[in-house]
Amino acid sequence: MRSTKPEPASRLLRGLPAVDALSRDESLRGWPVRLVVREARRVLDEARADLVASGDEEVDPAVCGIDALVGRVAVRVRAAAASQHRRVVNATGIVLHTGIGRAPLAAAAKRAIEDAAGYAIVEVDPTTGQRNQREEGVASLLSELLGVSGALVVNNNAAAVHLTLSALAAGREVVVSRGELVEIGGGFRMPDVMAEACCRMVEVGATNRTHLRDFERAIRPDTELLLKVHPSNYRVVGFHSMPSLAELCALGKQRSVAVFEDLGSGLLADPVPVSLQHEARVRDSVASGAELICFSGDKLLGGPQCGILVGDADRIAAVRAHPLYRAFRCDKLTLAGLEATLRIYRDGDPLREVPTLAMLARDPEELRADAEDLAVRLDGLGAEVRASESFVGSGANPARPIPSFAVVLPGGDRTARRLRRDAPVPIFTRVAQDRVWLDLRTLHVEDREQVVAWIRAAL
Ligand SMILES: *Cc1c(COP(=O)(O)O)cnc(C)c1O
């Protein structure tokens, strides 16, 4: 009941709980104490300001009672304790999703990263105690797997391209087709990279057609490299032609000019899953005879973010000797994760153990059965099973959907936002036809049990 007499604000404020009472509440146990106390103070400060401003004469327990305030503190504490880089569920159907971390690592790679997180052998030989090169382990695995004489690893493939051009072709000419002067994304454009690397770019051919003779005519004493850039994120259809890598390599050998291929994605799997049969394989580029080939570690290879350069040992040693190498080199965690991933290709079963490949190898009928099972467990939420299309992602094969199955929930962007924001582990989905699609291709087997509870918690 409201009193008709105005009360002094101080009496009203005394009706609020103390910081201690809030921060010691049972439901806030387990969170860091300093974090809880800080957020409790903030919530109380706000409650005081609101009370004073409202002109109310009584404390409304629904707003300022201990339970309500503890609830507000809990929300703040949870938000403040959450790392920006936290784990999420990928139900988008896009296997290599740049926004949520491209390739999920193999269990062996995660273990290797954890093991290397303290002191670890990075660039020292444990037998002699002498300094060696940090990529030796990775380089020898790549040599075994691909039959190349040299290998180098840097932070990403963009760095590998930049470093290779800077080290080998600064002040020299690099010949490239006008059809391959691509933008990879994030402002990384081939002509700009060439300029940054101080190469003289010699463009040949036309946007849609370039012939071997165009390259042939462009070769001069100043020519250092013939460059081929894989069309990862676009496709030219119609009246179109481009010399093959093998043709370029034959020309290069004849005229003593090295060929450098930016392959983009590093598909090492052999056999290749059906869904990737159109993808370029690193092995084929090596077999074509290219002196230098670079690719990402976190696309179809399925490892940590890095850029890998393989090929001729002497040229790779020259790339390594460039001062920029020091700025681009990888840390121990990346090298440990990459080494463990490559070991799977040498000794294990990549289609089972490398999650990227395992997801891309899954049969649509298996996905349909999983979708039906998930829909049953989401009983009461209006879930339906539909055929859907999944994608490799990260620029690979944008025009080639891979058949999949999804569980579809009613509601569009708002439901998708709640699944991202309010689920205990954020769930990323796809919105189409004003519905939320959870694609089974990218939903990890180990998440599938809990995802039902997480979806229910968010909706
Ligand atoms: C993806 C891609 C890159 C960039 O690789 P990052 O590892 O993301 O730096 C460069 N070139 C091509 C052709 C690509 O597909």
Side-chain angles (χ1 to χ4, degrees):
M1 207 166 58
R2 296 199 163 195
S3 138
T4 47
K5 277 194 302 194
E7 297 280 346
S10 61
R11 193 200 69 81
L12 192 61
L13 295 180
R14 277 201 295 275
L16 287 174
V19 173
D20 261 8
L22 276 192
S23 58
R24 297 217 176 120
D25 192 272
E26 190 64 29
S27 67
L28 295 169
R29 275 253 185 95
W31 295 103
V33 174
R34 282 172 57 188
L35 173 62
V36 172
V37 170
R38 190 184 70 218
E39 294 306 327
R41 285 217 172 92
R42 287 188 180 159
V43 165
L44 280 172
D45 285 346
E46 286 167 18
R48 273 188 212 106
D50 288 349
L51 266 182
V52 172
S54 70
D56 286 352
E57 286 149 17
E58 291 293 330
V59 169
D60 178 357
V63 182
C64 290
I66 180 126
D67 290 344
L69 292 175
V70 164
R72 277 163 68 183
V73 174
V75 169
R76 302 280 192 97
V77 163
R78 218 172 289 136
S83 165
Q84 185 203 330
H85 305 296
R86 61 190 184 276
R87 157 189 181 201
V88 302
V89 170
N90 180 6
T92 63
I94 298 165
V95 177
L96 299 169
H97 193 305
T98 303
I100 51 178
R102 281 199 189 163
L105 296 183
K110 290 187 200 171
R111 284 196 299 273
I113 287 173
E114 192 173 359
D115 189 48
Y119 288 121
I121 292 173
V122 178
E123 43 183 40
V124 61
D125 181 329
T127 311
T128 62
Q130 300 293 304
R131 197 74 180 260
N132 65 6
Q133 293 188 343
R134 59 176 55 210
E135 300 105 328
E136 260 174 28
V138 161
S140 73
L141 281 164
L142 286 164
S143 303
E144 269 185 79
L145 285 165
L146 294 165
V148 289
S149 61
L152 183 78
V153 189
V154 287
N155 267 327
N156 49 40
N157 189 36
V161 173
H162 193 318
L163 182 62
T164 305
L165 292 173
S166 300
L168 299 183
R172 306 269 297 161
E173 291 185 352
V174 177
V175 187
V176 61
S177 160
R178 288 196 171 88
E180 294 183 350
L181 291 175
V182 308
E183 174 178 312
I184 281 119
F188 190 88
R189 288 178 164 171
M190 226 13 119
D192 300 343
V193 175
M194 293 250 204
E196 276 296 317
C198 304
C199 304
R200 294 208 298 280
M201 181 171 74
V202 178
E203 302 169 38
V204 297
T207 307
N208 59 331
R209 281 167 73 83
T210 301
H211 307 288
L212 191 63
R213 61 174 183 274
D214 296 322
F215 277 92
E216 208 170 346
R217 282 190 203 125
I219 295 176
R220 308 188 315 157
D222 258 7
T223 307
E224 187 65 39
L225 293 172
L226 306 181
L227 175 67
K228 187 150 184 67
V229 184
H230 186 71
S232 298
N233 53 5
Y234 65 101
R235 229 166 111 195
V236 182
V237 293
F239 191 52
H240 166 252
S241 72
M242 190 67 72
S244 70
L245 183 64
E247 288 172 319
L248 272 190
C249 291
L251 172 64
K253 299 261 179 312
Q254 192 193 335
R255 305 284 296 271
S256 303
V257 180
V259 173
F260 172 30
E261 183 181 37
D262 173 10
L263 190 52
S265 201
L267 179 56
L268 289 187
D270 192 11
V272 178
V274 183
S275 56
L276 296 179
Q277 250 145 33
H278 302 278
E279 282 293 328
R281 297 190 308 167
V282 181
R283 210 176 302 282
D284 295 336
S285 291
V286 173
S288 295
E291 278 78 4
L292 294 156
I293 303 154
C294 68
F295 49 92
S296 298
D298 56 346
K299 290 184 178 172
L300 289 173
L301 194 151
Q305 179 195 301
C306 60
I308 299 170
L309 178 68
V310 296
D312 169 54
D314 292 340
R315 286 189 175 84
I316 287 183
V319 173
R320 204 173 196 286
H322 191 274
L324 267 182
Y325 165 75
R326 183 67 172 72
F328 290 161
R329 73 179 189 185
C330 287
D331 73 319
K332 60 186 178 182
L333 302 184
T334 303
L335 291 168
L338 179 62
E339 193 180 343
T341 309
L342 292 174
R343 232 173 259 287
I344 296 173
Y345 284 94
R346 192 191 62 180
D347 307 327
D349 181 357
L351 293 200
R352 223 169 38 78
E353 295 173 62
V354 176
T356 299
L357 297 173
M359 286 187 271
L360 287 164
R362 295 197 71 206
D363 182 75
E365 281 314 309
E366 211 182 301
L367 299 174
R368 183 211 294 266
D370 285 348
E372 280 163 0
D373 176 57
L374 180 60
V376 168
R377 291 192 291 134
L378 288 173
D379 179 41
L381 292 178
E384 287 169 32
V385 173
R386 302 264 188 89
S388 92
E389 290 182 336
S390 53
F391 294 89
V392 171
S394 260
N397 253 348
R400 281 209 179 88
I402 305 166
S404 185
F405 278 88
V407 168
V408 178
L409 294 174
D413 289 325
R414 278 189 43 205
T415 306
R417 190 179 327 123
R418 280 161 63 188
L419 289 168
R420 283 195 308 268
R421 195 191 53 193
D422 301 336
V425 174
I427 302 168
F428 282 71
T429 60
R430 202 164 67 225
V431 175
Q433 298 151 27
D434 212 31
R435 283 167 171 269
V436 168
W437 295 59
L438 293 114
D439 195 300
L440 270 291
R441 187 174 294 283
T442 50
L443 205 54
H444 282 325
V445 181
E446 62 265 31
D447 287 341
R448 231 167 279 152
E449 282 305 314
Q450 289 159 291
V451 85
V452 174
W454 294 338
I455 292 169
R456 289 194 188 277
L459 298 182

